[in-house]
């Protein structure tokens, strides 16, 4: 349970903090804040839906509704820089198994063009080996980024390829 200290506006205040502030009081198993100290229970509310890629969900100051304190939330849009940072972090953690990566390329008709790039004499041998043998493809691996450049794929397209690959189940 969460409390508001009405005299100071301090929020949130937990049961543990209240107990620490009043060591002279022996609290029962069913917690109740000490009378006359100004602690008011705040009614918790469900978190609203938000898009974690573009928004921060933050707890706001409680609102007094008909004499009862109610938890409030606010959705704060991220700046372009914050969105870019979150996207980069998300991409750093994105992977797909070799089979799924090859399967999505085949299902979308990309495999012949990818294979042609891999078979070209100027293809770095390690990249060819990577596409054929690495068990887990990482979204930001040098080999994937190189293939993206060779094929002219956008970042969004690569993100979509990885998302679709990770939905393949055999």
């Amino acid at each position: 349970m969460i409390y508001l200290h009405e005299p100071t506006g301090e929020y949130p205040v937990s049961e543990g903090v209240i107990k620490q502030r009043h060591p002279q009081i022996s609290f029962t198993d069913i917690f109740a804040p000490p009378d006359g100290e100004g602690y008011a229970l705040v009614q918790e509310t469900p978190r609203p839906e938000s898009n974690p890629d573009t928004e921060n969900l933050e707890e706001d100051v409680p609102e007094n509704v008909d004499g009862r304190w109610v938890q409030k939330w606010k959705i704060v849009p991220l700046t372009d820089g914050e969105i870019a940072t979150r996207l980069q972090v998300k991409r750093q953690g994105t992977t797909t198994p070799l089979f799924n990566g090859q399967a999505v390329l085949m299902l979308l008709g990309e495999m012949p063009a990818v294979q042609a790039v891999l078979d070209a004499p100027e293809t770095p041998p390690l990249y060819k080996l990577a596409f054929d043998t690495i068990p887990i493809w990482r979204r930001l691996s040098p080999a994937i980024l190189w293939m993206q450049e060779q094929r002219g794929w956008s970042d969004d397209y690569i993100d979509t390829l990885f998302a679709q690959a990770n939905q393949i189940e055999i």
Side-chain angles (χ1 to χ4, degrees):
M1 300 204 169
I2 304 169
Y3 294 86
L4 168 74
H5 188 238
E6 291 178 305
T8 63
E10 180 185 6
Y11 177 81
V13 182
S14 68
E15 292 177 12
V17 168
I18 295 171
K19 288 177 181 179
Q20 285 178 344
R21 290 180 181 168
H22 302 280
Q24 74 284 6
I25 296 176
S26 179
F27 291 93
T28 63
D29 288 341
I30 299 173
F31 180 81
D35 290 335
E37 293 294 325
Y39 294 103
L41 180 64
V42 176
Q43 179 184 343
E44 294 184 45
T45 60
R47 292 173 172 255
E49 289 197 24
S50 64
N51 181 342
D53 293 333
T54 61
E55 303 167 325
N56 265 339
L57 178 61
E58 299 176 1
E59 189 172 2
D60 206 349
V61 178
E63 180 180 25
N64 192 320
V65 178
D66 298 326
R68 293 178 38 202
W69 290 99
V70 178
Q71 183 182 39
K72 301 299 284 184
W73 298 95
K74 63 181 174 182
I75 296 173
V76 180
L78 297 175
T79 65
D80 289 344
E82 291 168 327
I83 291 170
T85 299
R86 284 197 182 176
L87 183 56
Q88 188 69 6
V89 168
K90 183 178 178 180
R91 286 177 175 155
Q92 285 173 347
T94 300
T95 61
T96 197
L98 170 66
F99 173 84
N100 293 56
Q102 289 179 339
V104 78
L105 292 172
M106 181 193 72
L107 292 170
L108 295 176
E110 295 282 3
M111 189 54 96
V114 167
Q115 194 60 54
V117 170
L118 292 173
D119 291 341
E122 63 274 6
T123 296
L126 288 179
Y127 289 172
K128 178 170 177 40
L129 185 64
F131 272 91
D132 290 339
T133 62
I134 289 183
I136 301 293
W137 288 0
R138 290 181 302 108
R139 166 64 180 86
L140 294 180
S141 73
I144 296 293
L145 295 175
W146 174 83
M147 182 60 72
Q148 177 180 355
E149 182 181 320
Q150 298 304 305
R151 295 288 302 129
W153 292 333
S154 69
D155 283 332
D156 288 341
Y157 186 67
I158 297 289
D159 293 340
T160 299
L161 288 176
F162 271 79
Q164 289 178 354
N166 283 324
Q167 292 188 11
I168 295 174
E169 291 186 31
I170 296 290

